[in-house]
Amino acid sequence: MKWNQLARKGLWWLVILGVLASIPIAYERYQTEQQSGRKVEFVMDYRDLLEISDMQTNPRKFVSDQLVKLKQHGVGSMAVYEATLNELKLSRRIEVFSSRDASVLMQVPFSPGENFTYVLFTETDSQPQLQPLIERTFHDLGVRTRSWSFNHQPGMIIEMAMDEAMLKTMDPDPITLQMLKDEGFSIVVRMSNRRPFNTNQMDALLAQLRKLGVKRFIVDGETVPGFVSEKDTTNLDKMGELMRKHRIGLAVIELQKTEQKGFAGLAKRIHHNVVRLHSFTETDAQKLTENLSEEELKGRIQGVSDRFVLAVKDRNIRMVFLNARAVKNLDKGQILHPLDAIYAALDGPDGAIPRIQASGYSMGQAEAFQYVYSSWQNIAKVLVWAGAVALIALTIAYFVPELALALFLLGMLGSAGLLVLNTSLFAQALALGAGTCAPTLAIMMAIRTCREKWDRAEGSRIGFALLLLLRTTLVSAVGILFIVSLLNQITYMLVLQQFRGVSVLHLAPIALAGLYWLLFSERMTYKERVLRGRQILTSNISVLWVIAAAIIAAAGFYYLSRTGNEGQASSLERYFRSFLENTLGVRPRTKEFLISHPIFILGAYLSYKYRSALLLILAGVIGQASVVDTFAHLHTPLMISSIRVVYGLAFGTLIGIGFIAVWEIVVRSWRRWAPRLNA
């Protein structure tokens, strides 16, 4: 015990050294976030525009008018896909017929043994550019093509069934690319892996796109261009080399259900010239065309605006991709589209673009983060490593103090082995351990402090409660610094790698702090603790206990359902969130400022008199775990997370003081009126 008591003091010094080493690492991440990648790009899907125009009286005029409106409302970029016969048809550059339709058109007998695709060029100016493009595409597929004409209008025959031919991809339409550039738009290309990879052709295509000002691809499909398999990376290496040569980067789509294969590898090969993209899907856009009252439509437009602002400010999004779809409204007997509503969301009275600019961003082609990383971080991370292991050992020592030194030595040895096997797993495991232990240790220290107060209740109770919350949060902040410094890599900021175990960060501190409160917070021998544990496990279960367990289980399920990106919120809660966000600029977490921190303050205040108030202190672990978890979302800027935590403490303190005031009013009123009621 003597050696372990000395060891615990040494472990605390290691934790302090780890904290000091992590601060400059966190500062360099702050520099990365604040000094680069501050341009935001709104991108409209050009194919969606063509599909909507296909339902209009004058399709080309509609597209032309919408391009003007898009520029006026702040959309500076257009997304162009690899061309298909169907898209060229939507552009009104060609008309496509099956063999059956062509025979009717030419008024010749239909040949049952032929099922080809007939193409007519609607513009003589476009034929010289499009015909070689189509011929080369189908030649590479081993499909014969030949010239054809109808009424002196040039065309071609593709010896492939029309349904299949319409699916084949080719280089992006050069006429559309040049037209959009002339209109003043930047161009983002949707690039797929559907065609056989050819180095020379890809080099020529990238050179052409670079001349048109293309700086970034969005991958279209499940695999990146050049991907064959995890083992065969030859084409992926070539694709990365070509993208570096032409200085073209990628955009990674957030919240994808399935990861695009090869993306992380290609991103690494282009030195992470990657920006994060938020997609406003066609389904999202369709909600703006439903039968809504004027007030409901305004509410939805405001919601879209809030969504774009939050994406940029809170999640490092630098590209917002806009989709739209025409909808047949049977009640109105009209074809509706959401474009006007999208424009209102972008730069209306409370539009997203002015608010984004007011937050310190500018509109333009999205730029990748210039990652700030000094070589001294490698040395500093050794101290962080030792500090994190020491923090974990100290936390476990609150349960088994005799093992403090042994736990630290085993922890260093085990983590060293993990470092050799897998550096990413090493960093994540250490960050998860430190992030779990920090709020747990903070609450255990708070419980121990309150128990000590029972023996010498002196001083201001409110002052004690507020200082205890501050100290507890500072101890939890140790876990924050360790997570930020251990996972300070650009791949986490871009969510190319994801920090796993967010649910563990939420639940483990609650379970550990509860176990400590039940069995380890009082001075007992191990035998007495075993007896108490056995007594708890063999206690008679009443109906009240069953009801309480059901309530706790329901609360736990709701708590987990509210965790992470998939968490669901009611309409009332969404309105409350929006109000806080628009009023404060950064929304504090509800479970911190409205529930956990105030209950913790009330518990610390009451702990002078009531031992059962420790249960309220214990409830504070939810808020402390939430504080750490806020920084575990590594795609959120440090400044935003810091402001969120400060707001949570500030408002939680005010509400906690309000709880104390209400308690005193109720208690004093009871003391005053109880004798009269008994009389």
Side-chain angles (χ1 to χ4, degrees):
M1 283 300 297
K2 182 179 178 180
W3 279 103
N4 278 285
Q5 286 173 358
L6 290 172
R8 289 171 72 177
K9 293 179 181 179
L11 292 178
W12 272 115
W13 279 109
L14 282 176
V15 171
I16 292 169
L17 285 174
V19 167
L20 293 175
S22 66
I23 291 173
I25 298 176
Y27 179 69
E28 287 206 336
R29 176 180 152 184
Y30 170 79
Q31 286 182 306
T32 299
E33 295 169 344
Q34 297 299 316
Q35 297 178 7
S36 62
R38 304 292 290 180
K39 289 186 177 179
V40 179
E41 184 173 7
F42 281 86
V43 185
M44 183 67 205
D45 189 314
Y46 184 70
R47 180 180 288 176
D48 285 354
L49 210 58
L50 292 177
E51 289 176 350
I52 296 173
S53 73
D54 199 42
M55 299 185 181
Q56 309 300 315
T57 306
N58 189 334
R60 285 202 165 173
K61 184 177 184 304
F62 176 84
V63 171
S64 179
D65 291 344
Q66 295 304 320
L67 290 178
V68 172
K69 289 183 178 180
L70 285 163
K71 288 290 288 184
Q72 290 174 345
H73 292 283
V75 179
S77 300
M78 300 297 294
V80 178
Y81 290 75
E82 293 168 310
T84 61
L85 293 179
N86 185 60
E87 186 167 314
L88 295 176
K89 180 181 177 181
L90 286 172
S91 299
R92 297 298 196 271
R93 306 199 194 286
I94 64 171
E95 191 54 68
V96 186
F97 306 95
S98 65
S99 291
R100 186 187 302 275
D101 294 334
S103 65
V104 173
L105 181 70
M106 294 183 293
Q107 296 183 346
V108 297
F110 171 64
S111 173
E114 177 188 305
N115 188 16
F116 295 160
T117 302
Y118 287 72
V119 176
L120 275 180
F121 295 98
T122 59
E123 305 165 320
T124 55
D125 294 341
S126 65
Q127 184 207 358
Q129 295 186 68
L130 296 182
Q131 186 163 348
L133 176 66
I134 298 171
E135 287 177 343
R136 184 174 68 247
T137 298
F138 286 94
H139 177 268
D140 291 343
L141 295 171
V143 178
R144 286 186 57 198
T145 61
R146 61 181 187 269
S147 297
W148 171 67
S149 64
F150 176 72
N151 283 348
H152 307 292
Q153 191 171 353
M156 59 187 297
I157 299 173
I158 303 169
E159 295 187 1
M160 178 182 280
M162 189 178 77
D163 288 341
E164 186 176 359
M166 296 286 273
L167 299 175
K168 302 304 179 183
T169 57
M170 54 194 84
D171 287 352
D173 176 9
I175 302 172
T176 296
L177 292 175
Q178 190 60 52
M179 180 271 292
L180 292 174
K181 181 175 173 59
D182 293 342
E183 291 287 341
F185 287 97
S186 300
I187 299 169
V188 179
V189 175
R190 296 298 305 264
M191 188 69 72
S192 76
N193 193 35
R194 299 187 183 101
R195 294 183 286 168
F197 186 85
N198 183 295
T199 304
N200 294 331
Q201 289 183 8
M202 183 61 73
D203 189 16
L205 174 60
L206 297 189
Q208 175 194 357
L209 294 176
R210 185 62 191 182
K211 287 181 181 178
L212 291 166
V214 175
K215 292 186 178 180
R216 206 159 297 282
F217 290 157
I218 304 171
V219 177
D220 178 27
E222 297 181 356
T223 60
V224 301
F227 179 83
V228 178
S229 68
E230 297 294 343
K231 294 181 179 179
D232 186 357
T233 61
T234 304
N235 290 343
L236 203 63
D237 293 336
K238 293 177 181 177
M239 187 66 191
E241 183 181 346
L242 291 175
M243 291 179 70
R244 291 197 308 272
K245 173 184 174 181
H246 297 288
R247 303 186 303 282
I248 292 178
L250 291 167
V252 56
I253 305 170
E254 73 162 351
L255 301 179
Q256 289 193 106
K257 292 183 178 179
T258 57
E259 182 181 350
Q260 292 170 322
K261 294 179 181 178
F263 193 99
L266 185 57
K268 184 177 181 180
R269 287 165 173 79
I270 62 173
H271 307 309
H272 295 106
N273 179 9
V274 180
V275 300
R276 299 194 73 223
L277 177 148
H278 175 73
S279 180
F280 183 69
T281 66
E282 292 175 345
T283 303
D284 297 326
Q286 188 174 343
K287 293 177 182 178
L288 298 174
T289 61
E290 295 173 354
N291 291 324
L292 303 170
S293 66
E294 187 174 342
E295 284 300 314
E296 288 174 330
L297 180 58
K298 284 183 179 179
R300 291 201 179 176
I301 290 172
Q302 183 63 51
V304 172
S305 176
D306 292 344
R307 170 178 168 174
F308 293 160
V309 175
L310 279 173
V312 173
K313 286 172 51 184
D314 280 23
R315 303 198 301 280
N316 280 336
I317 294 296
R318 296 296 178 265
M319 186 178 283
V320 179
F321 194 89
L322 304 172
N323 287 279
R325 175 188 292 171
V327 177
K328 296 177 181 179
N329 189 305
L330 299 179
D331 293 333
K332 296 182 179 180
Q334 292 178 313
I335 302 292
L336 303 177
H337 63 76
L339 292 173
D340 291 331
I342 291 174
Y343 300 152
L346 291 177
D347 70 342
D350 295 308
I353 291 178
R355 291 162 62 192
I356 290 171
Q357 291 173 325
S359 299
Y361 300 90
S362 59
M363 296 298 112
Q365 284 185 284
E367 298 173 346
F369 284 119
Q370 300 302 311
Y371 184 45
V372 180
Y373 191 95
S374 302
S375 57
W376 53 258
Q377 282 200 28
N378 297 325
I379 300 172
K381 284 188 176 182
V382 174
L383 294 175
V384 176
W385 171 14
V389 174
L391 178 67
I392 296 169
L394 281 169
T395 303
I396 300 174
Y398 260 65
F399 298 91
V400 192
E402 297 87 355
L403 297 179
L405 182 58
L407 286 167
F408 174 73
L409 295 175
L410 286 172
M412 291 298 295
L413 185 63
S415 57
L418 195 58
L419 176 61
V420 173
L421 291 174
N422 189 316
T423 54
S424 175
L425 186 58
F426 160 81
Q428 290 204 36
L430 212 54
L432 181 59
T436 300
C437 287
T440 304
L441 183 61
I443 288 297
M444 291 192 300
M445 291 174 65
I447 291 173
R448 183 170 291 185
T449 301
C450 289
R451 284 193 179 277
E452 292 171 356
K453 275 292 177 182
W454 294 343
D455 300 326
R456 46 184 180 83
E458 56 187 21
S460 168
R461 287 193 285 170
I462 293 181
F464 168 74
L466 298 183
L467 287 174
L468 186 62
L469 175 63
L470 180 60
R471 191 195 74 175
T472 303
T473 306
L474 288 175
V475 175
S476 296
V478 172
I480 292 170
L481 289 169
F482 285 162
I483 288 174
V484 170
S485 54
L486 285 166
L487 303 180
N488 181 36
Q489 296 178 32
I490 192 66
T491 51
Y492 289 105
M493 293 176 63
L494 297 172
V495 200
L496 299 177
Q497 271 187 297
Q498 196 157 359
F499 179 35
R500 307 292 177 182
V502 173
S503 295
V504 175
L505 276 178
H506 279 274
L507 288 178
I510 298 173
L512 291 171
L515 179 65
Y516 176 78
W517 172 73
L518 280 173
L519 300 176
F520 294 89
S521 60
E522 298 179 42
R523 292 183 179 178
M524 293 187 294
T525 65
Y526 288 113
K527 184 176 181 180
E528 289 172 334
R529 288 177 180 135
V530 171
L531 289 173
R532 174 175 284 190
R534 186 180 298 171
Q535 182 182 359
I536 293 171
L537 292 174
T538 57
S539 298
N540 293 325
I541 299 175
S542 65
V543 174
L544 185 62
W545 281 35
V546 173
I547 294 172
I551 293 172
I552 292 171
F557 179 78
Y558 177 73
Y559 178 61
L560 279 179
S561 73
R562 303 285 291 98
T563 299
N565 293 321
E566 301 300 325
Q568 301 297 315
S570 65
S571 58
L572 180 61
E573 187 176 356
R574 286 196 297 269
Y575 176 80
F576 183 55
R577 286 178 168 191
S578 179
F579 170 77
L580 290 174
E581 186 74 36
N582 295 330
T583 304
L584 301 173
V586 176
R587 177 183 61 82
R589 286 192 160 184
T590 307
K591 57 190 166 191
E592 292 177 27
F593 84 91
L594 204 57
I595 302 171
S596 183
H597 293 341
I599 290 176
F600 180 95
I601 289 172
L602 179 62
Y605 177 82
L606 296 177
S607 65
Y608 268 67
K609 290 185 176 181
Y610 308 103
R611 297 197 173 196
S612 56
L614 282 184
L615 272 173
L616 300 179
I617 296 285
L618 186 63
V621 72
I622 295 173
Q624 297 304 313
S626 176
V627 165
V628 176
D629 176 68
T630 295
F631 288 84
H633 293 79
L634 298 166
H635 55 272
T636 300
L638 288 179
M639 180 60 72
I640 295 293
S641 296
S642 301
I643 294 172
R644 178 167 286 134
V645 169
V646 170
Y647 275 157
L649 286 171
F651 292 116
T653 297
L654 292 175
I655 295 172
I657 293 172
F659 280 10
I660 292 172
V662 171
W663 173 270
E664 288 295 336
I665 291 171
V666 170
V667 168
R668 293 180 185 185
S669 298
W670 176 257
R671 288 174 182 169
R672 181 178 178 182
W673 292 101
R676 299 184 184 183
L677 291 173
N678 292 332

